[in-house]
Amino acid sequence: MRSIKQKRFFGVMAVLASLAVVSSAFSVVEGIGPHADFYWEPAEPTDMQVVNFHDNSSGGAIVWVWDFGDGNSSCDRNPSHMYADNGVYTVRLTVWDSSDVMDTVTKTINVSNVPPVADAGGDRILRNMTVNFNASSSYDADGHIASYSWAFGDGATASGVTTKHKYGSDGTYNVTLNITDNDGAYDTDAVQITVDTADPLTNATFEGNEGTGGWYMGNVTVALNASDNLSGVNSTHYRMNNGSWNVYNGSFIVSTEGANVMEYYSVDNAGNIEATRSADIKIDITPPETNYSLNGTLGKNGWYVSDVNITFNTSDSLSGTNYTKYKIDDGDWETYGGGIEIGSSGSHKIYFYSVDNAGNVEAEANFTFKIDKDAPSASITVPRDGYIYIFGREIMPTILGKTKVIGKLTATATATDTLSGIQSVYFKIDGDLLWMDFNAPYGVELPRAHPRGVHTLTVTAYDNAGNSATTSGIEYIKIF
Ligand SMILES: [Ca+2]
Ligand SMILES: [Ca+2]
Ligand SMILES: [Ca+2]
Ligand SMILES: [Ca+2]
């Protein structure tokens, strides 16, 4: 800075025209007159900023002339000025007091360039290998961007406000944009590009009471766990039995009986959509039903008089019958594998139930049946073979063995049956039914009306099952 004091001889405009000439043409008057000084704000301006110049002169200046160094000037005491371009400018303030004594001062102002602002765009997750880049949102406020330079994060580079790059593989890349403005200032922006072309993978898990064949015998809790190696899972979707799609947001319960079909897939944050998967969720909570049939010769009063064959028939509407268990009387439980033959006489109790493939167990049931294949035993007690009877009294054996009946005689018989018991005893004379006796003791008076001569008495005992036994005949000679 230099300060020159001299008399004012010319007008202000003349001074403005050539201060260099003026300053050399006047003699310096030291010690009197004004002292020129100034400052500005902001202290370090850019070419986008208004610079406020402040007169800081002393000594009674009344005229101020500013030369901003860029061809512009002002006569305001405290002018404002904005420089059109960055650069180093010499600002001169010349002042005069009322006695036309002049002083002038120059100062250098450094007006900075405004650096550019780089904008490489936002972080992106893409499902394409080829990525477009656009830096057109970058700007330079006081000039223009002279160059764009891209580094794609995989070693490749390119230039231009827009460009595209094809990556060789999925990955996350840190892309750098460098720009330079017309004044050589630069800026950098970074953007993260995730290239994800791989579909996510969804894994379904099922929890429930599982039987065989994939059948569950109750509610099934379904969990869908998806993974994605790069961009991450965005959403998982599922639907049941061709219904509407749901967004998965936690495990859910399937309770509908039958063979449900679940479809599901996930979408990653890059937009890759997994191919739809499907799974069967088979639920059966209904136990099977077992029916039985008995095959044998049915006698009387519910008694079978033959071996009995038992057949079980089961039905199960969903998973199907897995097996049928049965137990005969106090025996062990057996697995049914076809007809069961029971031949032993007596009363039997059969227990049974079935289990379906889901594992549902039918309530145990039972039935009873009776077999009596054994004929009763019967024998004639009166008359005995070879005895003589006189008016009902047994006298003695005859010598030649023929039974003789003289007068009235009551024939008697015994009959026993260990299983079903005796139902009736038939007395027959010469094959003709004489008497049916339903109650022990069994007996009937031999007919007096029959003609004299030889007759044959037989007794047939029937048990309650219908089995019968007939005694051998007792021949007797009716005397009268
Ligand atoms: Ca600039
Ligand atoms: Ca992916
Ligand atoms: Ca079932
Ligand atoms: Ca019997």
Side-chain angles (χ1 to χ4, degrees), residues 277-310:
R277 301 172 185 276
S278 82
D280 292 339
I281 302 171
K282 299 188 289 185
I283 298 175
D284 179 2
I285 59 174
T286 307
E289 288 183 6
T290 306
N291 296 307
Y292 65 90
S293 60
L294 303 181
N295 193 12
T297 305
L298 196 54
K300 293 180 176 172
N301 301 309
W303 286 86
Y304 285 92
V305 294
S306 66
D307 292 352
V308 171
N309 192 278
I310 302 168

Side-chain angles (χ1 to χ4, degrees), residues 196 198 228-229 231 268:
D196 178 2
D228 189 78
N229 58 339
S231 60
D268 70 11

Side-chain angles (χ1 to χ4, degrees), residues 115-119 139 147 149 177-181 185-189:
V117 176
D119 186 351
Y139 61 91
S147 69
S149 172
L177 168 68
N178 278 293
I179 62 170
T180 307
D181 71 6
Y186 61 88
D187 191 32
T188 296
D189 191 27

Side-chain angles (χ1 to χ4, degrees), residues 372 374-376 417-421 463 467:
D372 183 359
D374 304 328
D417 189 81
T418 54
L419 284 164
S420 58
D463 67 15
N467 300 297

Side-chain angles (χ1 to χ4, degrees), residues 202-226:
T202 308
N203 183 41
T205 56
F206 307 97
E207 269 187 34
N209 195 354
E210 191 174 5
T212 59
W215 284 91
Y216 292 88
M217 49 188 290
N219 292 349
V220 177
T221 301
V222 182
L224 299 175
N225 293 299

Side-chain angles (χ1 to χ4, degrees), residues 113-116 140-144 181-183 185:
N113 169 45
V114 175
D140 184 52
D142 61 342
H144 64 270
D181 71 6
N182 54 308
D183 287 310

